Amino acid sequence: MPSGLVALALGGFGIGLTEFLIAGLLPQVASSFAVSEAAAGWLISGYALSVAVGAIALTAATARLPRKAVLVGLVALFVVGNLLSAVAPSYPVMLLGRIVAALCHGSFFGLGSLVARSLVAPEKKSRAVAVMFAGLTLANVLGVPFGALVGERWGWRTAFWAVTVIGVCALAGIAALVPNGAGETRSPTVTRHSDPSPADGLRAQFRAFRSWQVWLTLTATALSYGGMFGAFSYIAYTFTEVGGFSPSDVAWLLMVYGVGLVVGNLVGGRAADHDRDRALVLALLGLAVTLAVFGLLAANATASVILVFLMGLFGFASVPGMITRVTDFAHGAALAASANVSASNIGNALGAWLGGLAITAGLGYTAPLYVGAGIVLISVIVMAVAARQAQSPAQQTEPCM
């Protein structure tokens, strides 16, 4: 494993912790600043909105800069945001810190995936992306309990100081271990066109979006995330109101889900390097089936434990392959890689909204699972169409509209 990959994974871990740990700290933060729970919730929703905006805006603004330098700058922005949160004297400053930290999120994972794949042989590119995203999946497992534990013992500010330190270590690691020029080497693609390097500028980045395959992959990404996180957003209610678990059980059940994310990410990366489109269709199909069966068996405690693990496994098994697929058909355009992160966040919002509508309509706490299964099934169809079109001779030579 190239040492630069480890540095990228550490950066992903720190960014993931920033995203997830706040959930376990909201009561303390709300009490500290004397704001309502709803106002404190903007520290989560504001972060998500900033991720979607920053992924496109910062990638576009830095299109002509060397990718390693941009990554270092993004992690520096992340450090500043968390430092602001750690020392915030008021709620508005705290919210500003969250927004600043979030701006780097999408661009880091978009550019980082391009750099990660450039550090290994072409046949291992999806596994390299999976290693970088391993930091994010570990943060998903540890983020909430880490924030709650540190916050309870030493106060919520200590948690943000800890993440700031992790960010400084990641910044130093990327600066020292990622080779200069990483991610800028023109890599082989399925087309006869050359890949845009940072020097090609923003116009070349936007040309990547003339490809139907890019749009189909982004659509499949948004739908798969929407289905999984639409169900996940209400999974605590499913456990307690349908499965009969106590509220204290939810924490370890979410860790089971997180372990599934870690396993699925690594297995999915290896499978995508072997036969990417087939692996993606099977992963999405597995997620759709898992969500539907979960809805049927949610009242069974044993089945719920197994199915929430499989939900995480199939849910993240498609992530490395989706990223390498969109960047391949986008000729390595960093803007497309960042757009993949934005698509996932848009899908998250859509899925949570539809799941909430199903509960409001009186369909019960298993309804988000069925809604999620339906959304992911559409993603399976989109991915199958994309895979079939990619096999045509025209797509092998000219993927653009």
Side-chain angles (χ1 to χ4, degrees):
M1 184 188 303
S3 55
L5 269 181
V6 178
L8 292 172
L10 181 61
F13 178 67
I15 292 174
L17 276 183
T18 298
E19 179 179 13
F20 299 120
L21 66 78
I22 189 64
L25 297 172
L26 273 186
Q28 293 185 43
V29 174
S31 175
S32 177
F33 293 124
V35 297
S36 67
E37 290 82 356
W42 273 101
L43 298 175
I44 295 176
S45 54
Y47 185 98
L49 290 173
S50 297
V51 169
V53 172
I56 301 299
L58 286 185
T59 304
T62 58
R64 289 185 177 275
L65 301 178
R67 287 171 180 168
K68 177 182 175 179
V70 174
L71 283 176
V72 171
L74 291 171
V75 179
L77 187 66
F78 164 78
V79 170
V80 170
N82 281 283
L83 186 59
L84 271 177
S85 296
V87 302
S90 64
Y91 173 76
V93 177
M94 176 72 176
L95 181 58
L96 176 63
R98 292 287 293 168
I99 291 173
V100 170
L103 288 174
C104 77
H105 184 123
S107 292
F108 177 85
F109 285 108
L111 285 171
S113 64
L114 294 174
V115 172
R117 59 181 286 170
S118 74
L119 298 177
V120 300
E123 66 272 13
K124 296 181 179 179
K125 59 189 177 185
S126 293
R127 274 173 279 184
V129 172
V131 169
M132 191 197 76
F133 272 81
L136 178 62
T137 57
L138 285 173
N140 197 303
V141 177
L142 302 175
V144 175
F146 171 83
L149 177 63
V150 173
E152 180 182 347
R153 294 195 175 188
W154 298 290
W156 64 266
R157 294 182 187 274
T158 305
F160 283 97
W161 278 113
V163 175
T164 301
V165 171
I166 292 173
V168 171
C169 293
L171 190 154
I174 292 171
L177 301 176
V178 173
N180 293 323
E184 296 166 29
T185 302
R186 299 179 184 272
S187 58
T189 68
V190 295
T191 75
R192 57 184 170 83
H193 300 285
S194 59
D195 299 344
S197 69
D200 292 320
L202 194 56
R203 183 178 297 179
Q205 298 284 326
F206 276 109
R207 276 203 302 269
F209 291 95
R210 296 169 60 192
S211 167
W212 279 115
Q213 287 293 331
V214 169
W215 284 107
L216 287 170
T217 309
L218 292 176
T219 301
T221 294
L223 291 171
S224 62
Y225 268 85
M228 179 175 69
F229 283 99
F232 178 74
S233 297
Y234 306 96
I235 199 69
Y237 294 104
T238 306
F239 285 139
T240 57
E241 302 300 323
V242 181
F245 291 97
S246 69
S248 61
D249 289 326
V250 173
W252 68 262
L253 287 166
L254 292 181
M255 291 192 71
V256 172
Y257 168 79
V259 172
L261 293 180
V262 174
V263 175
N265 176 55
L266 297 176
V267 172
R270 182 173 292 273
D273 281 332
H274 178 67
D275 187 339
R276 185 171 58 198
D277 283 357
R278 184 171 183 269
L280 288 174
V281 171
L282 290 176
L284 296 175
L285 185 60
L287 178 59
V289 171
T290 296
L291 292 175
V293 173
F294 201 166
L296 293 172
L297 303 180
N300 184 294
T302 302
S304 293
V305 175
I306 296 171
L307 288 165
V308 78
F309 170 80
L310 292 177
M311 179 177 160
L313 188 151
F314 286 118
F316 230 77
S318 63
V319 171
M322 286 291 191
I323 292 174
T324 57
R325 192 178 201 280
V326 78
T327 50
D328 275 351
F329 282 101
H331 324 307
L335 196 59
S338 296
N340 197 70
V341 180
S342 290
S344 66
N345 279 271
I346 292 170
N348 292 352
L350 173 66
W353 176 65
L354 292 176
L357 284 181
I359 292 175
T360 303
L363 300 178
Y365 289 114
T366 58
L369 291 164
Y370 294 121
V371 171
I375 296 173
V376 177
L377 188 58
I378 299 174
S379 179
V380 173
I381 296 171
V382 172
M383 191 63 243
V385 170
R388 183 175 180 84
Q389 288 189 358
Q391 294 174 356
S392 69
Q395 287 290 332
Q396 297 296 321
T397 58
E398 180 56 79
C400 296
M401 293 184 289

